[in-house]
Amino acid sequence: NSKTPNWTNEVIRQVNKALLGKNTFCIITTYVTFNLPKFQAVIDRLPESTLFIADEAHNFGTARTQANYPHKFNRRIGLSATPERHFDEQGTLSLLTFFNSVEKPTFKFDMQEAIDKNFLCRYYYYPKLVKLTEEELEEYKKISKKLLKYFSSSKGDFLDNPIISALLLKRKRIIHKAQNKLDVFRECISEIQTLRDKIKYTLVYVPEGKSSAFDEEDRILINEYSTVLTNEYGVRQHQFIGITENRNEILKRFSEGDIEVLTAMKCLDEGVDVKRTEMAIFCASTGNPRQFIQRRGRILRKHPDKKFAYIFDMIVVPDLDEKIFAESLKMERTILRSELKRVYEFASISENKWQALKTLEDVAAQYSIDIFSTEIS
């Protein structure tokens, strides 16, 4: 990778020795380096018997990477907790096809098994409803009316039109940045205080701005949550973002309790081990199942001093008013169904399943959705 810039000569040397039958080797690389022409040149020299392993394989489904799939390797293993790529059906299909798992995975080890066999810790799940303000609801309604033009009632789905993604994204941003989340955040902190003496070993996933890179909008958002923790609750917290330096030192201080809360944004999803985490507050209302599953995985890591984990999850669902949503009820129900499926999945293997689902019973009834059903339809 970029931190070992002189890798090329060493890799070629090892490959040549192997081709002469003098040794075996293992090359570990990043996906960025994998796509470089000079690494593709290395792949061209590798024998067909090479074993190819892709970790976090969902990242292996981008259009650029698809063009570099090493089809000559017959032995392929793709590892992922979330192989489906969000809003990328073609990328998902290409990925599953390459690893010969379109019909079903070769091997599956689900979350319930991992908990039952003591690889992950048991957890309590608390979905928290967040209401939109009048201004947010009005904007949400305007976008819904535009979306309705592209919704097929007979098919129960949207028509194929690029405008839909833009409109759905605009609507998602209203939910993502809902003003009332801060008040619900305070409620979560108060509940944590009733569960334990101190707010400690807690991760807070803060809502993100629209850019993939950390920008001024992100800074304002994360500072709001940090200020609540520091000024109102006297909590020792540290922000953990994509540009954070001294990450290992910060995580060490967090695991020792010196830092009580990490407020995270655009990181701590995958590839970071924070076993000591006992509490998590998801304020981001992410619509990406992969992101939520990866985040849950961070919280459920086993630790000798941790018996249970506790997850607070903010769910923003607009209050239905027949006058406002009468025409778009079927469309709203279609959009909400996937969100409630996610809530059901995470509640269903929690220690407080029925209590968690009861929280959403009334709002689900408004949409004529049975939240207690294993097949939400």
Side-chain angles (χ1 to χ4, degrees), residues 321-338:
D321 182 311
E322 290 185 5
K323 295 179 181 179
I324 296 177
F325 291 104
E327 295 180 351
S328 62
L329 178 59
K330 190 169 184 179
M331 179 187 73
E332 299 295 337
R333 185 172 180 267
T334 298
I335 295 173
L336 179 65
R337 191 184 300 122
S338 61

Side-chain angles (χ1 to χ4, degrees), residues 57 101 157 166-167 216 225 227 244 257 331 373:
S101 56
D157 203 353
L167 290 172
E216 186 58 29
Y225 288 84
T227 299
T244 296
M331 179 187 73
S373 171

Side-chain angles (χ1 to χ4, degrees), residues 56-297:
E56 303 291 2
H58 44 269
N59 295 314
F60 198 63
T62 65
R64 183 184 181 190
T65 306
Q66 288 175 46
N68 292 321
Y69 278 178
H71 291 284
K72 72 175 185 177
F73 300 151
N74 291 321
R75 300 195 295 169
R76 312 167 188 173
I77 299 175
L79 307 170
S80 177
T82 52
E84 290 79 16
R85 292 175 55 79
H86 194 47
F87 289 140
D88 184 9
E89 291 184 9
Q90 182 55 51
T92 298
L93 180 59
S94 296
L95 179 70
L96 297 181
T97 300
F98 180 75
F99 288 109
N100 193 29
S101 56
V102 174
E103 294 183 6
K104 64 178 182 178
T106 305
F107 177 79
K108 184 177 181 179
F109 190 73
D110 64 29
M111 190 70 76
Q112 184 69 68
E113 288 180 278
I115 291 173
D116 291 342
K117 294 182 179 180
N118 209 32
F119 288 105
L120 297 176
C121 75
R122 299 185 180 277
Y123 69 98
Y124 288 83
Y125 178 64
Y126 303 101
K128 296 293 180 182
L129 288 174
V130 181
K131 292 185 177 181
L132 296 177
T133 64
E134 290 185 10
E135 293 79 8
E136 289 168 341
L137 187 60
E138 186 62 29
E139 183 63 24
Y140 187 97
K141 181 180 68 174
K142 289 178 182 177
I143 298 172
S144 292
K145 286 185 175 180
K146 293 179 181 178
L147 276 169
L148 193 58
K149 299 176 183 177
Y150 305 97
F151 185 78
S152 171
S153 295
S154 59
K155 294 181 179 179
D157 203 353
F158 290 103
L159 303 173
D160 187 14
N161 192 303
I163 296 175
I164 295 169
S165 295
L167 290 172
L168 286 174
L169 185 60
K170 286 181 68 175
R171 243 180 51 148
K172 191 65 183 177
R173 281 180 54 74
I174 294 173
I175 290 175
H176 205 53
K177 297 174 62 179
Q179 292 181 25
N180 288 327
K181 282 186 176 181
L182 274 175
D183 287 335
V184 176
F185 177 63
R186 292 181 176 95
E187 292 176 14
C188 293
I189 297 297
S190 297
E191 284 192 35
I192 290 175
Q193 288 179 320
T194 64
L195 287 170
R196 55 199 299 145
D197 295 333
K198 298 187 69 176
I199 302 172
K200 208 171 185 180
Y201 309 124
T202 300
L203 285 183
V204 176
Y205 285 95
V206 179
E208 304 168 4
K210 60 185 177 182
S211 172
S212 58
F214 189 79
D215 58 18
E216 186 58 29
E217 182 182 13
D218 291 325
R219 192 176 302 281
I220 292 171
L221 283 167
I222 198 169
N223 283 344
E224 287 180 338
Y225 288 84
S226 298
T227 299
V228 169
L229 288 166
T230 303
N231 294 352
E232 298 181 24
Y233 293 91
V235 172
R236 297 191 303 275
Q237 66 84 37
H238 200 292
Q239 296 180 357
F240 203 94
I241 56 180
I243 58 176
T244 296
E245 298 180 353
N246 303 320
R247 291 185 167 206
N248 291 336
E249 176 63 25
I250 292 170
L251 292 175
K252 181 175 181 293
R253 290 175 60 197
F254 175 73
S255 66
E256 294 171 349
D258 180 36
I259 295 173
E260 295 171 307
V261 178
L262 288 180
T263 47
M265 178 186 286
K266 297 179 178 177
C267 57
L268 287 181
D269 288 344
E270 61 185 38
V272 179
D273 206 5
V274 278
K275 293 184 178 71
R276 197 63 186 89
T277 305
E278 295 185 12
M279 303 278 180
I281 305 176
F282 296 119
C283 310
S285 298
T286 174
N288 187 339
R290 178 186 62 79
Q291 193 176 57
F292 191 94
I293 291 170
Q294 293 285 352
R295 289 176 177 181
R296 182 178 62 168

Side-chain angles (χ1 to χ4, degrees), residues 308-321:
F308 295 105
Y310 301 84
I311 299 174
F312 296 81
D313 181 20
M314 294 188 192
I315 313 294
V316 182
V317 181
D319 286 334
L320 278 184
D321 182 311

Side-chain angles (χ1 to χ4, degrees), residues 4-71:
T4 53
N6 298 320
W7 60 264
T8 311
N9 291 337
E10 177 63 17
V11 167
I12 293 298
R13 189 172 71 85
Q14 294 294 335
V15 171
N16 287 340
K17 286 174 65 177
L19 293 176
L20 294 172
K22 294 183 178 181
N23 75 327
T24 58
F25 61 87
C26 177
I27 302 171
I28 303 174
T29 186
T30 63
Y31 287 122
V32 173
T33 300
F34 171 84
N35 284 313
L36 295 178
K38 60 181 180 179
F39 193 85
Q40 289 299 306
V42 170
I43 287 180
D44 289 342
R45 297 174 63 90
L46 299 178
E48 292 181 4
S49 59
T50 299
L51 171 61
F52 180 81
I53 303 175
D55 192 21
E56 303 291 2
H58 44 269
N59 295 314
F60 198 63
T62 65
R64 183 184 181 190
T65 306
Q66 288 175 46
N68 292 321
Y69 278 178
H71 291 284

